[in-house]
Every structure is written in C-alpha cells, then in structure tokens.
Amino acid sequence: MTGQTHSPIIEVAGRGLAPIIQLIGIYVFFHGHYGPGGGFQGGVLLAAGVLLLRMTVGAENSQAHVAAKRTLTNCAIGAVIFVGTGIVAILGGGYFLDYAHLPVQWLEPAYMRYYGILFVELGITLGVMTGLITIYDDILEVDYA
Amino acid sequence: MEAIANIFTVIFVLLGAAFMLVGSIGVNRFPDFFSRAHASGKVDTLGIMLFIVGLMFYNGINLTSLKLGLIAVFVGMTSPVAAHALARRALIHGVKHWKRNEKEG
C-alpha cells in the first residue's frame, strides 16, 4: 500500500493525471465566485491529486511533492486564516466575517467583500487540502519524520 | 442545421445508453470478478464517451462543448486504468478464476 506500484500503466496514468486534477482544483477554487465550486471543493480536488501520487508512485517518493510533516502545520495555518479574518472584522467594528469592516481602507467596500471572500476561501482550501492529506498519512501509519 | 445536430444527438445518446445498459447487465450477470471488471471497464467507458459526444452535438461549438470533450478524454483515460488496477490487484492477491466445470459460482 505504501510502496511504489510495479505496473507502468498505473504509474504513468497517476503521474500524468495528478497535475491535471490539481489544475481543475485551482480552477474550481477561483470559480467559486461565479458558479458552483469554492474553497472546500477545490481543496478536495487538490488533495485528490496528492493522494493519487501517494498511491501510485509510493508514499516515500511523493514526499518531495507535499511533505507529510508539514501538512498539519499548513492545516492549522488555513484555520487561522479563516478565523482570523472573521476576528479582524469583529475588531474593525462589524460582525464575524463582515468583510466591509476589514482594515483595508484603499478599497471600495464591494471590492473589499470580493477579495475578503477570496482570502477566506484560500484559508478553507489550504485547510481542507492539507487536512485530508494528514488523514490519509495518519491512516497509513508510516513515520515520515 | 439544428435538426441534423439533434438527429446526431439522439443517435449518439441512444447508442451510449445502449452500451451502458449492456455493461450493467454484464456486471450483474458475469460469473467472477475478472469478467465483471472487463464489463465495467470497457463497455461503460465507451458508453459514457458516446453519451458525452451526443451532448457535444446538442450543445454546438462553444466553450461548454470543449469542456465536455475534455471530460470525455478524462473518462477515457481514467476508467480503463482503474479497471486495470483493480484486476491486477485481484490477480496478485489470488482471486480465483471462473471455470465452467466447477459447481460454485
């Protein structure tokens, strides 16, 4: 399960498909403003690309792509980005996640909401992606450190 | 022009639905794991690709049609690889082949 596969078909397919899946993940993340999609779905697709590499080229060889010892830290950073944006909005005088009260005064309030939502979605994407990778690595119970 | 596109749409979607029906019957009726993987890996791939080609004819030439074509290419690449991975792992772990003379199915 953790080793590299011996089938060249599976390895070539996995190595070729993982960047395409991650590119679709980034597209879904940025598409959340205009249609179906958003941070959670984009993060799941980004994690799916990494997990495909974990399963095809082996857990040890895919450490150069996303290292297992950094995923939990990045998950915490994503949560801090999400909650921190809301708390900064509270400190600015608004409600939780009220983007119009963020301390970015050179922007129109509409654009402030636009970029605020994008920033929060960035935190969700980072958290979901690295959280799912952490769950997979923890199920495998391999000590990468 | 639109009538011709609709005719092609009906032909391709019905053909794809027929292939997917045959594949589903095969998955239910075949006796062992390997022939079932054969049915689900090959026939369903062709059915889905024909279905999506029919939807591309319905949509005309635009960006949505290009996205549908990319989905068809993606399915055509991933589904046989998934069937290959399943069948290979079953072969390594010693799943029994079906033989005609054995009683058990």
Side-chain angles (χ1 to χ4, degrees), chain A residues 19-20 28 30 35 46 62 65 74-75 99 107 110 117 121 125 127 130:
Chain A
I20 299 174
V28 167
F30 280 108
L46 285 170
S62 72
H65 193 211
N74 282 328
C75 188
Y99 306 107
L107 282 177
I117 290 173
E121 295 277 326
T125 305
T130 51

Side-chain angles (χ1 to χ4, degrees), chain B residues 3-79:
Chain B
I4 299 172
N6 282 340
I7 287 170
F8 273 110
T9 303
V10 169
I11 288 173
F12 274 97
V13 169
L14 281 182
L15 208 57
F19 270 106
M20 281 157 77
L21 177 66
V22 169
S24 305
I25 292 173
V27 169
N28 277 313
R29 295 284 297 167
F30 274 155
D32 71 336
F33 176 79
F34 294 102
S35 48
R36 281 179 182 168
H38 168 84
S40 75
K42 285 183 171 175
V43 187
D44 277 1
T45 309
L46 185 61
I48 291 170
M49 287 173 75
L50 285 175
F51 211 102
I52 292 173
V53 168
L55 293 182
M56 284 169 69
F57 273 115
Y58 181 73
N59 232 325
I61 301 172
N62 51 20
L63 188 61
T64 312
S65 193
L66 177 69
K67 287 177 189 174
L68 283 172
L70 287 177
I71 290 173
V73 171
F74 193 82
V75 169
M77 282 175 67
T78 51
S79 181

Side-chain angles (χ1 to χ4, degrees), chain A:
Chain A
M1 192 69 186
T2 64
Q4 186 173 4
T5 176
H6 295 290
S7 169
I9 298 173
I10 299 173
E11 181 180 342
V12 169
R15 279 166 55 190
L17 283 174
I20 299 174
I21 292 173
Q22 289 190 310
L23 186 66
I24 295 172
I26 294 171
Y27 166 73
V28 167
F29 161 58
F30 280 108
H31 198 261
H33 284 297
Y34 314 112
F40 195 90
Q41 290 90 336
V44 168
L45 280 170
L46 285 170
V50 178
L51 295 189
L52 189 62
L53 279 179
R54 285 269 201 276
M55 285 191 281
T56 53
V57 306
E60 288 82 12
N61 291 334
S62 72
Q63 294 299 308
H65 193 211
V66 174
K69 57 186 175 184
R70 300 209 184 93
T71 50
L72 201 56
T73 317
N74 282 328
C75 188
I77 289 172
V80 165
I81 285 174
F82 177 74
V83 179
T85 309
I87 291 179
V88 166
I90 288 178
L91 294 179
Y95 294 114
F96 185 69
L97 288 178
D98 194 357
Y99 306 107
H101 293 88
L102 288 178
V104 190
Q105 296 303 326
W106 61 86
L107 282 177
E108 297 278 326
Y111 284 102
M112 208 185 294
R113 291 181 194 275
Y114 183 92
Y115 290 113
I117 290 173
L118 195 65
F119 194 65
V120 165
E121 295 277 326
L122 179 70
I124 296 172
T125 305
L126 190 63
V128 168
M129 174 192 172
T130 51
L132 288 175
I133 297 169
T134 306
I135 291 171
Y136 180 80
D137 287 336
D138 203 43
I139 287 173
L140 279 187
E141 291 178 347
V142 177
D143 191 15
Y144 300 108

